[in-house]
Amino acid sequence: MGELARRLGITEKTVTGVVDRLEREGHVQRERSPEDRRVIRCRLTASGARLHRKLDRTVLQGLGRMLEHLDATDRRALFRILEKLIASARPKARPGG
């Protein structure tokens, strides 16, 4: 749950609330790690996987509609900027680690 919060850039409390709702709706299930019972993993159910595919299609279609308004030069510039932003958001390697 902590890793999910970090990846999403939100608090663990917020993640817990979201996962609680997704679990109640049958989209995820919590699983405790057999190695460390303090670790809780969230796994998509079949219903959650279907919802993910539907949301993914919707987002991709929306992005496609937005990008069609840009010419090739503008799209390349946008992708270059996005690549820089993604690279800057990645955790930096720690010395000796």
Side-chain angles (χ1 to χ4, degrees):
M1 298 289 273
E3 180 182 343
L4 185 56
R6 281 187 298 283
R7 286 183 180 206
L8 294 172
I10 58 179
T11 66
E12 287 189 40
K13 181 179 178 180
T14 301
V15 167
T16 299
V18 170
V19 171
D20 286 346
R21 286 188 295 281
L22 289 170
E23 189 174 38
R24 269 195 311 273
E25 293 170 7
H27 300 304
V28 299
Q29 63 185 40
R30 287 180 167 102
E31 298 175 351
R32 290 210 178 262
S33 168
E35 297 85 28
D36 184 346
R37 301 284 296 159
R38 297 171 296 176
V39 174
I40 299 172
R41 292 192 173 92
C42 298
R43 187 173 310 281
L44 286 177
T45 62
S47 169
R50 283 191 301 274
L51 180 60
H52 175 265
R53 286 190 299 273
K54 181 180 177 183
L55 290 171
D56 196 44
R57 277 192 308 272
T58 302
V59 168
L60 287 175
Q61 289 168 354
L63 285 173
R65 283 192 298 274
M66 286 191 311
L67 291 174
E68 70 187 16
H69 297 285
L70 301 177
D71 63 26
T73 301
D74 288 340
R75 280 195 303 272
R76 280 192 298 275
L78 174 62
F79 293 140
R80 183 180 47 77
I81 292 166
L82 290 172
E83 286 171 351
K84 283 184 177 183
L85 290 172
I86 290 167
S88 72
R90 288 191 184 113
K92 304 291 184 229
R94 294 185 183 138

